[in-house]
Amino acid sequence: MNYEAHLAPYAARSEASRGRRFSEPAPASRTEFQRDRDRIIHSTAFRRLEYKTQVFVNHEGDLFRTRLTHSIEVAQIGRSIARNLRLNEDLVEAISLAHDLGHTPFGHAGQDALNECMQAFGGFEHNLQSLRVVDELEEHYGAFNGLNLMFETREGVLKHCSLSNARKLGDIGQRFIDKKQPTLEAQLANLADEIAYNNHDIDDGLRSGLLTTAQLDDVDFYARHRREVESAYPGITGRRAIHETIRRMINALIVDLTVASQARIDQAGVRTVEDVRNASALMTFSDTMNQEAVDLKRFLRSNLYHHYQVNRMTSKARRIVRELFNAFMDEPRLLPPDYQVIEAGREQAQARNVSDYIAGMTDRYAMREHRRLFTVGEI
Ligand code: MG
């Protein structure tokens, strides 16, 4: 049975794929992209996502999103839209579940700190690190390093990339140099990520008490849906009102993205994945919704991501990452043996190993490792 037969002509298909880096026999009971999704779920880096965070540190509360639940939400949103547009759901799911595998502990604070530490050694980009995890760092298979994923999955994972890094990456970096688009599935996973985090950050922000519903009334997109909820359920309050509002916002974004993208796809007249690559970005919100998303992001940036209590956490996180990095560079023998490169003149390789080690840490592991190295009496 050809599971991909019902897909739109411009959807990605296993048979038309650019394939894997190391050729393998085709799977007997699933598509190539299902195999990718399954490999990602069985990877070590995927399990670590449970203890890594975006905005809130993992130990701050049991109900906040972690990178694992975030990735599952991205996959859910992505798959819904993919089905509506007859795109390849398995590919969208694989990209969604893998898109954050390279994230450091402590969210963006950790990544910025590690990037600063790595300036003299080629820098640190989390998208590039996600690709490095699936291409190099996972140790699961006898025949190759990494997960040996399909080209289209890998290109979706590499959402952004600096030009200088793109030049070092060969075929997977070429689209950044040629200014071409990835598959519609990759474009979709990227936007599903935005829909997921904008909405769950509101939810987590309210749950933590760092945001209030009164503040959110200034955001028209939120206020409009909130009023809709209040007229449907007079007297509704608390968590139930918040959830009813957020589910409407997510739905509005999904419907808008589906309708606006289908219109652009039709208008562009694309027939194949190659046409998609050569066209402008076809997965887009409507102009009105784009503006609402910009307003929402601006609100979250000034009221949540830069809230003084979040700043205190991110400042601590930066310090932990910096101090770990410097300690391991000064004394490589403090590293677990697998990460040690001790010969003289190998500073570059040493730095990359330290960066891989730190990037792989969960929030709590990084805090524990910091205590082990800096606190007398901890072992
Ligand atoms: Mg994400």
Side-chain angles (χ1 to χ4, degrees), residues 54 67 70 74 99-100 159 193 197:
Q54 312 233 101
R67 288 217 180 260
H70 162 70
V74 174
H99 84 283
D100 271 352
K159 190 164 60 177
D193 184 23
Y197 68 69

Side-chain angles (χ1 to χ4, degrees), residues 61-325:
D62 290 345
L63 295 176
F64 297 125
R65 266 65 174 191
T66 65
R67 288 217 180 260
L68 180 63
T69 61
H70 162 70
S71 301
I72 293 170
E73 288 181 30
V74 174
Q76 180 275 317
I77 292 167
R79 285 184 49 192
S80 298
I81 300 168
R83 189 171 296 191
N84 286 333
L85 295 174
R86 290 197 298 137
L87 299 177
N88 195 320
E89 278 182 61
D90 298 321
L91 175 56
V92 174
E93 190 178 13
I95 296 170
S96 302
L97 295 178
H99 84 283
D100 271 352
L101 289 179
H103 259 287
T104 60
F106 313 123
H108 290 285
Q111 111 109 21
D112 292 346
L114 193 52
N115 186 31
E116 279 167 32
C117 294
M118 286 294 288
Q119 273 320 296
F121 310 103
F124 177 88
E125 295 177 16
H126 65 261
N127 289 304
L128 202 55
Q129 189 70 9
S130 296
L131 185 68
R132 192 166 154 74
V133 167
V134 300
D135 277 358
E136 301 291 339
L137 299 181
E138 281 290 321
E139 297 177 316
H140 269 251
Y141 302 96
F144 41 77
N145 282 340
L147 306 179
N148 196 32
L149 302 179
M150 300 290 273
F151 179 90
E152 293 74 12
T153 310
R154 296 169 57 230
E155 109 179 309
V157 167
L158 190 65
K159 190 164 60 177
H160 304 291
C161 170
S162 64
L163 263 187
S164 60
N165 280 325
R167 290 196 187 96
K168 294 178 206 145
L169 290 173
D171 59 356
I172 204 84
Q174 196 57 39
R175 78 175 168 91
F176 297 98
I177 298 163
D178 299 343
K179 304 210 178 336
K180 289 194 176 183
Q181 299 299 322
T183 61
L184 290 170
E185 286 81 357
Q187 297 178 37
L188 168 53
N190 189 9
L191 294 167
D193 184 23
E194 265 189 46
I195 296 178
Y197 68 69
N198 282 331
N199 284 284
H200 66 48
D201 286 353
I202 291 177
D203 190 35
D204 284 351
L206 289 169
R207 191 186 301 278
S208 66
L210 299 185
L211 295 179
T212 64
T213 46
Q215 277 177 305
L216 272 158
D217 282 337
D218 293 342
V219 183
D220 190 51
F221 186 55
Y222 181 90
R224 218 169 53 236
H225 290 98
R226 174 89 186 188
R227 282 195 300 274
E228 218 179 276
V229 170
E230 281 160 1
S231 68
Y233 303 102
I236 193 170
T237 56
R239 298 269 350 127
R240 214 186 282 267
I242 293 168
H243 185 247
E244 281 287 351
T245 306
I246 290 176
R247 67 187 278 253
R248 278 170 174 73
M249 290 164 57
I250 294 176
N251 189 58
L253 287 156
I254 288 178
V255 170
D256 183 89
L257 181 56
T258 306
V259 171
S261 302
Q262 186 68 66
R264 287 198 69 148
I265 290 167
D266 294 345
Q267 200 182 3
V270 288
R271 302 290 311 153
T272 63
V273 173
E274 220 30 58
D275 291 346
V276 168
R277 293 183 186 285
N278 292 322
S280 57
L282 297 174
M283 290 297 305
T284 53
F285 294 106
S286 65
D287 291 345
T288 323
M289 191 59 93
N290 256 332
Q291 192 49 51
E292 305 220 77
V294 168
D295 293 345
L296 191 58
K297 270 190 219 171
R298 193 178 303 131
F299 171 86
L300 285 169
R301 202 176 314 121
S302 46
N303 295 288
L304 181 63
Y305 307 144
H306 292 160
H307 191 288
Y308 85 97
Q309 277 175 266
V310 175
N311 287 343
R312 286 181 180 196
M313 191 283 290
T314 52
S315 150
K316 226 183 302 182
R318 277 197 301 272
R319 212 167 312 134
I320 290 175
V321 167
R322 269 199 302 265
E323 289 177 0
L324 285 176
F325 184 87

